[in-house]
Amino acid sequence: MSTAFLSEPRVASLTTLRPDCSPHVVAVRFTWDGRASLARVLTVAASRKARNLIACPGSRAALCQVDGFRWATLEGAATLSDDPHRVAEAVRRYTARYGTPPPDPPGRVVIEIAVDRVTTLNL
């Protein structure tokens, strides 16, 4: 897989499952840690994506980054954390990837996806 592609400052679609098992898809900014096989998404605890993970701990999630006919999908078990060190690491990586710090709303948390499946096209 192309780490360079996943380092480009692009958005991706994040898919989580609602409690009724229907998919919830939203555009997000994320970071990829290839060494740890960990994707991170900053959000707030009150968001639908966070509430989906609270309702079903350890459920799977998928991130898909697309650029024309190139794409990568990262899938794995997702967890939600408000641990200040984990959130700070997500902020650090986000700032490095996107060039500016993320918003700092109250209730900020990080979704961490332990990636165990990667699919790609033209990478």
Side-chain angles (χ1 to χ4, degrees), residues 64-105:
C64 185
Q65 179 174 298
V66 178
D67 177 37
F69 291 103
R70 300 184 307 156
W71 57 263
T73 300
L74 310 174
E75 299 177 46
T79 57
L80 190 68
S81 177
D82 62 358
D83 176 87
H85 296 350
R86 292 166 90 170
V87 171
E89 180 62 11
V91 168
R92 184 187 72 75
R93 288 174 177 274
Y94 178 107
T95 303
R97 179 176 183 182
Y98 294 103
T100 59
D104 187 13

Side-chain angles (χ1 to χ4, degrees), residues 23-98:
H24 171 73
V25 183
V26 64
V28 297
R29 287 182 165 192
F30 76 100
T31 62
W32 169 241
D33 179 351
R35 289 185 186 170
S37 295
L38 192 66
R40 295 175 175 91
V41 176
L42 289 161
T43 189
V44 294
S47 69
R48 174 79 266 166
K49 57 190 164 285
R51 293 192 330 257
N52 289 343
L53 297 175
I54 291 167
C56 191
S59 62
R60 294 183 65 80
L63 278 165
C64 185
Q65 179 174 298
V66 178
D67 177 37
F69 291 103
R70 300 184 307 156
W71 57 263
T73 300
L74 310 174
E75 299 177 46
T79 57
L80 190 68
S81 177
D82 62 358
D83 176 87
H85 296 350
R86 292 166 90 170
V87 171
E89 180 62 11
V91 168
R92 184 187 72 75
R93 288 174 177 274
Y94 178 107
T95 303
R97 179 176 183 182
Y98 294 103

Side-chain angles (χ1 to χ4, degrees), residues 3-19:
T3 301
F5 178 68
L6 293 174
S7 298
E8 295 171 5
R10 302 189 178 282
V11 297
S13 61
L14 171 67
T15 304
T16 58
L17 296 177
R18 295 180 183 99

